[in-house]
Amino acid sequence: MAALILMIQFMTRYPLPGEVPFTAENFVCGMKWMPLVGLLIGLPAAALFGLAARFFDANLAAFFAVLALILITGGLHLDGLGDTADGLFSNRSPEKMLHIMRDPATGANGVVAIVLALLFPWLILSALPTRWAVPALLAAPVAGRMALTWHAAAAGYARNSPGLGAFVDQVGSREALRATLLALGLLLPICLSTPNPLPLLVCTMAACMALAVGFARFLTKKLGGITGDTIGATIELSEIATFFIFYLFWKLA
Protein backbone atom coordinates (compact mmCIF):
# COMPACT_ATOMS: atom_id res chain seq x y z
CA MET A 1 0.00 0.00 0.00
CA ALA A 2 2.89 2.39 0.74
CA ALA A 3 4.20 1.89 -2.78
CA LEU A 4 0.80 2.72 -4.28
CA ILE A 5 0.52 5.88 -2.19
CA LEU A 6 4.03 6.90 -3.29
CA MET A 7 3.13 6.46 -6.96
CA ILE A 8 -0.06 8.51 -6.55
CA GLN A 9 1.88 11.26 -4.79
CA PHE A 10 4.68 11.17 -7.38
CA MET A 11 2.57 10.93 -10.55
CA THR A 12 -0.43 13.10 -9.61
CA ARG A 13 -1.41 16.19 -7.66
CA TYR A 14 -3.90 14.38 -5.43
CA PRO A 15 -3.35 15.69 -1.88
CA LEU A 16 -2.84 12.41 -0.06
CA PRO A 17 -1.85 12.83 3.58
CA GLY A 18 1.42 11.53 4.96
CA GLU A 19 4.84 11.02 3.42
CA VAL A 20 6.10 7.75 1.98
CA PRO A 21 9.90 7.44 1.71
CA PHE A 22 11.07 7.71 -1.91
CA THR A 23 13.23 4.59 -1.84
CA ALA A 24 14.24 2.18 -4.57
CA GLU A 25 12.15 -0.55 -2.93
CA ASN A 26 8.98 1.54 -2.87
CA PHE A 27 9.61 2.89 -6.37
CA VAL A 28 10.14 -0.53 -7.97
CA CYS A 29 7.26 -2.08 -6.04
CA GLY A 30 5.05 0.80 -7.13
CA MET A 31 5.56 0.01 -10.81
CA LYS A 32 2.91 -2.71 -10.72
CA TRP A 33 0.37 -0.14 -9.54
CA MET A 34 0.96 2.27 -12.41
CA PRO A 35 -2.17 1.28 -14.40
CA LEU A 36 -4.33 1.91 -11.32
CA VAL A 37 -2.72 5.34 -10.95
CA GLY A 38 -3.65 5.90 -14.59
CA LEU A 39 -7.27 5.01 -13.89
CA LEU A 40 -7.35 7.49 -11.02
CA ILE A 41 -6.17 10.12 -13.48
CA GLY A 42 -8.65 9.16 -16.19
CA LEU A 43 -11.76 8.92 -14.01
CA PRO A 44 -12.21 12.66 -13.31
CA ALA A 45 -11.42 13.56 -16.93
CA ALA A 46 -13.95 11.04 -18.25
CA ALA A 47 -16.60 12.16 -15.75
CA LEU A 48 -16.00 15.80 -16.63
CA PHE A 49 -16.32 15.06 -20.35
CA GLY A 50 -19.58 13.18 -19.82
CA LEU A 51 -20.99 16.00 -17.70
CA ALA A 52 -19.81 18.80 -20.00
CA ALA A 53 -21.17 17.01 -23.09
CA ARG A 54 -24.68 17.33 -21.60
CA PHE A 55 -24.50 21.12 -21.53
CA PHE A 56 -21.89 22.16 -24.10
CA ASP A 57 -20.69 21.06 -27.52
CA ALA A 58 -18.06 18.37 -28.08
CA ASN A 59 -15.21 20.87 -28.53
CA LEU A 60 -15.71 22.40 -25.11
CA ALA A 61 -16.24 19.02 -23.45
CA ALA A 62 -12.97 17.80 -24.98
CA PHE A 63 -11.20 20.94 -23.77
CA PHE A 64 -12.37 20.39 -20.18
CA ALA A 65 -11.26 16.73 -20.30
CA VAL A 66 -7.78 17.56 -21.59
CA LEU A 67 -7.48 20.35 -19.02
CA ALA A 68 -8.40 17.88 -16.27
CA LEU A 69 -5.63 15.51 -17.36
CA ILE A 70 -3.13 18.37 -17.18
CA LEU A 71 -4.27 19.60 -13.77
CA ILE A 72 -4.31 16.12 -12.21
CA THR A 73 -0.75 15.34 -13.33
CA GLY A 74 0.57 18.88 -13.01
CA GLY A 75 1.82 18.66 -16.59
CA LEU A 76 4.63 16.40 -15.38
CA HIS A 77 4.71 14.16 -18.44
CA LEU A 78 4.22 17.01 -20.89
CA ASP A 79 7.35 18.56 -19.44
CA GLY A 80 9.19 15.29 -20.08
CA LEU A 81 7.92 15.20 -23.65
CA GLY A 82 9.07 18.78 -24.25
CA ASP A 83 12.53 18.14 -22.80
CA THR A 84 12.87 14.94 -24.83
CA ALA A 85 11.94 16.73 -28.04
CA ASP A 86 14.41 19.53 -27.32
CA GLY A 87 17.20 17.03 -26.81
CA LEU A 88 16.51 14.62 -29.66
CA PHE A 89 15.83 17.27 -32.30
CA SER A 90 18.94 19.23 -31.42
CA ASN A 91 21.00 16.76 -33.49
CA ARG A 92 23.93 17.07 -31.09
CA SER A 93 26.11 14.47 -29.41
CA PRO A 94 24.49 12.18 -26.83
CA GLU A 95 26.17 14.11 -24.00
CA LYS A 96 24.91 17.43 -25.34
CA MET A 97 21.40 16.04 -25.86
CA LEU A 98 21.28 14.87 -22.25
CA HIS A 99 22.49 18.28 -21.12
CA ILE A 100 19.76 20.00 -23.15
CA MET A 101 17.11 17.68 -21.73
CA ARG A 102 18.15 18.62 -18.20
CA ASP A 103 17.92 22.35 -18.94
CA PRO A 104 14.72 23.69 -17.27
CA ALA A 105 14.12 26.08 -20.17
CA THR A 106 11.88 24.76 -22.95
CA GLY A 107 13.02 25.33 -26.53
CA ALA A 108 11.07 25.61 -29.77
CA ASN A 109 11.03 21.86 -30.40
CA GLY A 110 9.69 21.23 -26.92
CA VAL A 111 6.95 23.82 -27.28
CA VAL A 112 5.86 22.34 -30.62
CA ALA A 113 5.81 18.82 -29.14
CA ILE A 114 3.70 19.93 -26.16
CA VAL A 115 1.23 21.83 -28.35
CA LEU A 116 0.80 18.84 -30.65
CA ALA A 117 0.41 16.49 -27.68
CA LEU A 118 -2.46 18.65 -26.42
CA LEU A 119 -4.02 19.35 -29.79
CA PHE A 120 -4.20 15.74 -30.98
CA PRO A 121 -6.29 14.35 -28.07
CA TRP A 122 -8.53 17.43 -28.16
CA LEU A 123 -9.25 16.89 -31.87
CA ILE A 124 -9.96 13.19 -31.39
CA LEU A 125 -12.17 13.68 -28.34
CA SER A 126 -14.05 16.43 -30.16
CA ALA A 127 -14.81 14.00 -32.99
CA LEU A 128 -15.78 11.01 -30.85
CA PRO A 129 -19.32 10.53 -29.53
CA THR A 130 -19.59 10.42 -25.75
CA ARG A 131 -19.98 6.63 -25.65
CA TRP A 132 -16.51 6.37 -27.25
CA ALA A 133 -14.81 9.41 -25.73
CA VAL A 134 -15.48 8.41 -22.12
CA PRO A 135 -13.93 4.90 -22.49
CA ALA A 136 -11.00 6.44 -24.38
CA LEU A 137 -10.36 8.88 -21.53
CA LEU A 138 -10.39 5.98 -19.06
CA ALA A 139 -8.20 3.72 -21.18
CA ALA A 140 -5.50 6.15 -22.32
CA PRO A 141 -4.00 6.94 -18.87
CA VAL A 142 -4.12 3.25 -17.92
CA ALA A 143 -2.36 2.13 -21.12
CA GLY A 144 0.12 5.00 -20.92
CA ARG A 145 1.27 4.07 -17.44
CA MET A 146 1.47 0.40 -18.30
CA ALA A 147 3.72 1.45 -21.20
CA LEU A 148 6.13 3.30 -18.92
CA THR A 149 6.93 0.06 -17.08
CA TRP A 150 7.96 -1.59 -20.37
CA HIS A 151 9.97 1.48 -21.30
CA ALA A 152 11.85 1.31 -17.99
CA ALA A 153 12.35 -2.45 -18.26
CA ALA A 154 13.64 -2.37 -21.83
CA ALA A 155 16.68 -0.12 -21.30
CA GLY A 156 19.10 1.17 -18.71
CA TYR A 157 19.37 4.72 -17.45
CA ALA A 158 21.37 6.99 -19.74
CA ARG A 159 23.08 9.04 -17.04
CA ASN A 160 25.73 7.81 -14.62
CA SER A 161 24.76 10.25 -11.87
CA PRO A 162 22.87 8.88 -8.84
CA GLY A 163 19.20 9.57 -8.34
CA LEU A 164 16.26 8.34 -10.38
CA GLY A 165 18.55 6.15 -12.48
CA ALA A 166 19.37 3.95 -9.50
CA PHE A 167 15.64 3.19 -9.22
CA VAL A 168 14.84 2.87 -12.92
CA ASP A 169 17.64 0.36 -13.47
CA GLN A 170 15.96 -1.98 -10.98
CA VAL A 171 12.71 -2.11 -12.96
CA GLY A 172 12.58 -5.31 -15.00
CA SER A 173 10.23 -7.59 -16.89
CA ARG A 174 8.64 -8.85 -13.67
CA GLU A 175 7.36 -5.39 -12.79
CA ALA A 176 6.25 -4.79 -16.39
CA LEU A 177 4.34 -8.09 -16.50
CA ARG A 178 2.59 -7.34 -13.22
CA ALA A 179 1.59 -3.91 -14.49
CA THR A 180 0.37 -5.49 -17.73
CA LEU A 181 -1.85 -7.96 -15.90
CA LEU A 182 -3.36 -5.16 -13.84
CA ALA A 183 -3.84 -3.05 -16.98
CA LEU A 184 -5.58 -6.00 -18.62
CA GLY A 185 -7.99 -6.29 -15.71
CA LEU A 186 -8.74 -2.56 -15.83
CA LEU A 187 -8.97 -2.17 -19.60
CA LEU A 188 -11.19 -5.19 -20.25
CA PRO A 189 -14.37 -3.75 -18.64
CA ILE A 190 -13.61 -0.37 -20.25
CA CYS A 191 -13.38 -1.90 -23.72
CA LEU A 192 -16.49 -4.02 -23.13
CA SER A 193 -18.54 -0.84 -23.38
CA THR A 194 -17.57 -0.55 -27.06
CA PRO A 195 -18.19 -2.73 -30.15
CA ASN A 196 -15.42 -5.28 -30.88
CA PRO A 197 -13.97 -4.98 -27.36
CA LEU A 198 -11.36 -7.76 -27.59
CA PRO A 199 -9.68 -6.52 -30.79
CA LEU A 200 -9.69 -3.01 -29.32
CA LEU A 201 -8.13 -4.27 -26.10
CA VAL A 202 -5.43 -6.29 -27.88
CA CYS A 203 -4.55 -3.49 -30.30
CA THR A 204 -4.33 -0.91 -27.54
CA MET A 205 -2.10 -2.95 -25.26
CA ALA A 206 0.10 -4.28 -28.06
CA ALA A 207 0.59 -0.85 -29.61
CA CYS A 208 1.55 0.79 -26.31
CA MET A 209 3.94 -2.00 -25.36
CA ALA A 210 5.58 -1.95 -28.79
CA LEU A 211 5.88 1.83 -28.73
CA ALA A 212 7.44 1.82 -25.25
CA VAL A 213 9.99 -0.88 -26.03
CA GLY A 214 10.78 0.44 -29.51
CA PHE A 215 11.29 3.96 -28.18
CA ALA A 216 13.57 2.64 -25.42
CA ARG A 217 15.73 0.77 -27.93
CA PHE A 218 15.92 3.83 -30.18
CA LEU A 219 17.01 5.95 -27.21
CA THR A 220 19.63 3.38 -26.24
CA LYS A 221 21.25 3.84 -29.63
CA LYS A 222 20.76 7.62 -29.62
CA LEU A 223 21.49 8.52 -25.99
CA GLY A 224 22.84 5.38 -24.38
CA GLY A 225 19.63 4.74 -22.47
CA ILE A 226 16.45 6.33 -21.13
CA THR A 227 15.80 9.16 -18.67
CA GLY A 228 12.96 10.44 -16.53
CA ASP A 229 12.05 12.78 -19.37
CA THR A 230 11.74 9.93 -21.88
CA ILE A 231 9.52 8.06 -19.42
CA GLY A 232 7.19 11.05 -19.41
CA ALA A 233 7.36 11.23 -23.20
CA THR A 234 6.47 7.53 -23.42
CA ILE A 235 3.35 8.10 -21.32
CA GLU A 236 2.23 10.98 -23.53
CA LEU A 237 2.94 9.13 -26.78
CA SER A 238 1.15 6.00 -25.55
CA GLU A 239 -1.89 8.04 -24.53
CA ILE A 240 -1.97 9.63 -27.99
CA ALA A 241 -1.69 6.18 -29.58
CA THR A 242 -4.59 4.93 -27.45
CA PHE A 243 -6.82 7.87 -28.40
CA PHE A 244 -6.00 7.27 -32.05
CA ILE A 245 -6.78 3.54 -31.82
CA PHE A 246 -10.16 4.29 -30.24
CA TYR A 247 -10.82 6.78 -33.02
CA LEU A 248 -9.96 4.20 -35.71
CA PHE A 249 -12.20 1.56 -34.13
CA TRP A 250 -15.06 4.07 -33.94
CA LYS A 251 -14.63 4.96 -37.62
CA LEU A 252 -14.55 1.29 -38.63
CA ALA A 253 -17.40 0.18 -36.33
Side-chain angles (χ1 to χ4, degrees), residues 11-68:
M11 302 292 285
T12 75
R13 293 297 179 264
Y14 287 127
L16 294 186
E19 287 190 21
V20 178
F22 197 95
T23 63
E25 180 182 1
N26 285 334
F27 181 86
V28 174
C29 183
M31 286 292 106
K32 67 175 179 287
W33 295 113
M34 280 298 179
L36 180 56
V37 176
L39 183 63
L40 294 176
I41 294 169
L43 277 170
L48 187 58
F49 182 96
L51 179 63
R54 293 175 177 268
F55 301 99
F56 309 108
D57 64 13
N59 289 325
L60 200 52
F63 170 79
F64 286 137
V66 173
L67 179 62

Side-chain angles (χ1 to χ4, degrees), residues 91-162:
N91 292 321
R92 305 291 183 86
S93 66
E95 294 77 14
K96 185 62 176 178
M97 288 183 187
L98 289 170
H99 177 74
I100 291 172
M101 290 166 65
R102 181 163 276 178
D103 190 334
T106 303
N109 291 314
V111 172
V112 170
I114 291 172
V115 169
L116 292 176
L118 295 174
L119 184 61
F120 196 81
W122 175 72
L123 289 172
I124 288 181
L125 292 170
S126 298
L128 290 174
T130 301
R131 64 188 182 90
W132 278 91
V134 168
L137 280 163
L138 294 172
V142 173
R145 280 143 193 86
M146 175 201 70
L148 86 82
T149 64
W150 285 101
H151 187 69
Y157 199 69
R159 296 188 175 97
N160 294 322
S161 57

Side-chain angles (χ1 to χ4, degrees), residues 166-251:
F167 303 162
V168 172
D169 283 337
Q170 295 185 44
V171 178
S173 57
R174 182 178 65 175
E175 288 74 31
L177 287 171
R178 288 178 175 177
T180 302
L181 289 175
L182 178 57
L184 177 63
L186 296 175
L187 289 172
L188 180 57
I190 294 172
C191 292
L192 284 174
S193 64
T194 68
N196 299 319
L198 293 182
L200 176 60
L201 173 65
V202 171
C203 286
T204 298
M205 295 189 69
C208 290
M209 291 164 62
L211 187 155
V213 173
F215 190 36
R217 291 180 177 175
F218 166 77
L219 291 167
T220 300
K221 294 180 180 179
K222 196 78 172 177
L223 300 176
I226 65 173
T227 70
D229 288 324
T230 70
I231 289 175
T234 298
I235 293 174
E236 291 294 333
L237 293 173
S238 298
E239 288 187 353
I240 289 171
T242 301
F243 284 126
F244 189 57
I245 289 170
F246 270 72
Y247 176 81
L248 289 178
F249 270 78
W250 167 65
K251 292 291 288 186

Side-chain angles (χ1 to χ4, degrees), residues 76-89:
L76 176 66
H77 316 309
L78 286 170
D79 180 68
L81 177 65
D83 289 341
T84 300
D86 278 336
L88 292 179
F89 288 106

